[in-house]
Amino acid sequence: MDQQLDADAIAALLARDRAHAWHPYASMTSPPPAYPVVAARGVRLQLADGRELIDGMASWWAAIHGYNHPLLNAAAQAQLDNMAHVMFGGITHPAAAELCELLAEIVPGRLPHVFLCDSGSVAVEVGIKMALQYHLSQGNRDRKRLLALRGGYHGDTFMAMSVCDPVTGMHHLFRGALPEQLFAPRPEAPFAARADDAAVAADVARFEAALAAHAHELAAVILEPVVQGAGGMHFYSPAFLAAVRARCDAHGVLLIADEIATGFGRTGRLFACEHAGIAPDILCLGKALTGGYMSLAATLASERVSRGICEGEAGVLMHGPTFMGNPLACALAIASIRLLLSQPWQRRIETLEQGLRAGLAGAAALPGVREVRVLGGIGVVEMKAPVEMARIQRLLVERGVWIRPFGKLVYTMPPYIMQPDDLAALTGGIVDTLQQLETGETG
Ligand SMILES: *Cc1c(COP(=O)(O)O)cnc(C)c1O
């Protein structure tokens, strides 16, 4: 990699950025530090000054094959030579048709109808809209609310915000401006707990109480199956998920599974619903869908849901973004999914899981650490107190590691292609940094 900039060019870039570019969850009056990245290849990000960082974030779960992958580059180039974009209203194209068929084939259960959209949050909006329209078309005007789990995260748009954790979620600020949804307690039984475990029974009883009290006004339950991501990096028992599926059916409530973070192998199954052997009525996908190349998301619906919507008063699903079914993004999604499925991806995730367990184990003994947990390609160190983001980030970058902690959570979900030596350097950098912070050294 050879995109290095000199000191003046770096200073100019950062000045421009600070003056004009709003970053995620960032201030414009006191902008947080930003590291200039000029190239990325494999599992490495190259900083403008020439330093390289091992990427432990996969760009927020997305870059599962690493960066600058020759097969994905070629797929983008080939599609570009035909067309980058064409509208999807009244027009179709090979990439969209193939992608929709492929998604319908690989997801759990039968969800044959695929709505392509631009981002995860929009996929959640569409999933919720599907659920509301479904019940309306059944003549059920009362079923307009959602039941979500505490500790969840479903995106930044308004309806998606309304189902994020109401207290610790990033959006409690907007309470009053958001539709008021209902929340069930966060399931606490751990991933390994089975259906006959008392902790699972307790989780299910609490959920059932929340569901039964409001079932008549609920359109759907929405949840992240097995792994709650940005709301707390929390893992729960698949037995709970299986029980939720059964309870939803018993109460005539739809189940929306938000697999935007967990989809495409991250938890060790292609989709996290598979841990519980269940299928949702509506499924949201995003993040890793294009292997981290472009923003694309999808909402899949069962035949029952799509027929309900289309036989109802409106007769159509009331949604249609401008860039719906963007051919470039669809071509990348096809290439990324086929690349994933052509590889021994399960073995890779198992190797990642073992490496994360071994590499992060040392953090468990640190006095400031509450818990270390690993599932599939996700490694989490939960601290007892929130970390100082800018400081920890600087120390990590000095060790050649890129992760982005938030609150009490120091976590990593590396690209699946990461080799054992890089993974050891990544986890070693995390543990050493936490140790250094505890001993109060400034580095
Ligand atoms: C990231 C995420 C979203 C939102 O996706 P965006 O592409 O950021 O809009 C929704 N749900 C879950 C579970 C996510 O992890």
Side-chain angles (χ1 to χ4, degrees):
M1 292 187 273
D2 47 14
Q3 303 300 315
Q4 216 165 319
L5 302 178
D6 65 26
D8 289 345
I10 292 173
L13 158 61
L14 291 178
R16 234 176 254 137
D17 180 81
R18 289 175 72 84
H20 300 292
W22 219 317
H23 284 260
Y25 291 92
S27 165
M28 243 12 284
T29 49
S30 83
Y35 293 89
V37 170
V38 289
R41 191 158 288 124
V43 301
R44 285 186 161 65
L45 309 178
Q46 190 201 319
L47 295 180
D49 62 10
R51 284 182 294 169
E52 289 188 356
L53 306 180
I54 298 174
D55 173 35
M57 293 301 285
S59 284
W60 278 330
W61 314 78
I64 54 177
H65 307 294
Y67 300 88
N68 229 318
H69 194 288
L71 276 176
L72 299 186
N73 289 2
Q77 195 57 58
Q79 181 60 50
L80 208 45
D81 289 343
N82 291 334
M83 63 186 161
H85 183 63
V86 66
M87 65 188 284
F88 207 52
I91 286 174
T92 190
H93 55 83
E98 182 179 345
L99 175 60
C100 292
E101 180 187 55
L102 179 57
L103 288 174
E105 272 169 22
I106 63 173
V107 296
R110 263 190 54 73
L111 302 168
H113 299 141
V114 184
F115 191 97
L116 297 170
C117 52
D118 321 297
S119 73
S121 300
V122 175
V124 168
E125 298 289 332
V126 170
I128 293 173
K129 195 180 276 188
M130 284 177 176
L132 296 182
Q133 269 200 253
Y134 170 80
H135 288 292
L136 278 176
S137 73
Q138 310 298 299
N140 227 324
R141 303 213 150 255
D142 294 335
R143 288 185 180 268
K144 289 196 183 110
R145 299 181 81 186
L146 283 300
L147 175 66
L149 301 182
R150 289 190 181 270
Y153 175 76
H154 298 286
D156 292 350
T157 54
F158 272 76
M159 201 64 171
M161 275 200 282
S162 77
V163 285
C164 290
D165 187 283
V167 182
T168 64
M170 295 182 270
H171 308 111
H172 55 276
L173 199 63
F174 296 101
R175 237 179 314 169
L178 294 176
E180 289 219 2
Q181 311 295 8
L182 297 153
F183 293 88
R186 185 177 85 162
E188 296 298 339
F191 178 76
R194 305 169 77 102
D196 55 3
D197 198 305
V200 173
D203 284 342
V204 173
R206 282 192 293 265
F207 177 82
E208 168 67 19
L211 180 63
H214 295 278
H216 60 284
E217 53 174 330
L218 286 178
V221 166
I222 182 166
L223 51 69
E224 297 154 278
V226 179
V227 173
Q228 292 184 307
M233 302 301 293
H234 176 69
F235 311 150
Y236 65 85
S237 169
F240 172 78
L241 179 58
V244 166
R245 171 72 277 185
R247 302 320 302 150
C248 285
D249 287 342
H251 288 284
V253 174
L254 297 174
L255 177 61
I256 304 174
D258 178 351
E259 293 234 24
I260 290 165
T262 52
F264 305 104
R266 180 58 69 178
T267 68
R269 299 292 181 94
L270 199 52
F271 297 96
C273 283
E274 294 172 23
H275 289 287
I278 63 120
D281 302 292
I282 295 168
L283 174 67
C284 302
L285 301 175
K287 288 201 162 95
L289 176 57
T290 65
Y293 269 60
M294 293 189 70
S295 183
L296 182 70
T299 309
L300 288 85
S302 70
E303 189 101 43
R304 173 165 75 107
V305 168
S306 57
R307 180 171 313 134
I309 292 167
C310 303
E311 289 173 356
E313 180 189 329
V316 298
L317 178 66
M318 298 296 245
H319 214 90
T322 305
F323 280 92
M324 181 169 182
N326 173 253
L328 203 44
C330 289
L332 279 161
I334 295 164
S336 173
I337 295 167
R338 296 215 187 281
L339 174 60
L340 179 67
L341 298 180
S342 73
Q343 296 167 338
W345 61 270
Q346 272 147 315
R347 207 166 344 116
R348 285 214 174 143
I349 300 290
E350 274 165 34
T351 309
L352 264 188
E353 179 168 320
Q354 286 159 10
L356 288 169
R357 276 188 206 289
L360 295 175
L366 298 174
V369 170
R370 199 180 87 79
E371 188 186 47
V372 175
R373 48 183 184 269
V374 173
L375 179 66
I378 310 164
V380 184
V381 180
E382 182 172 337
M383 309 300 291
K384 290 174 182 159
V387 296
E388 226 186 288
M389 170 121 75
R391 176 142 180 262
I392 191 173
Q393 193 120 65
R394 183 171 55 76
L395 295 174
L396 288 159
V397 166
E398 281 166 11
R399 288 188 166 85
V401 163
W402 180 252
I403 59 166
R404 186 154 176 86
F406 71 84
K408 297 175 185 171
L409 300 165
V410 179
Y411 66 103
T412 176
M413 53 281 185
Y416 299 168
I417 60 163
M418 190 171 285
Q419 296 299 307
D421 51 342
D422 283 336
L423 188 59
L426 170 66
T427 53
I430 293 171
V431 175
D432 288 351
T433 299
L434 293 176
Q435 192 151 29
Q436 183 182 351
L437 283 170
E438 299 218 334
T439 54
E441 294 166 36
T442 53

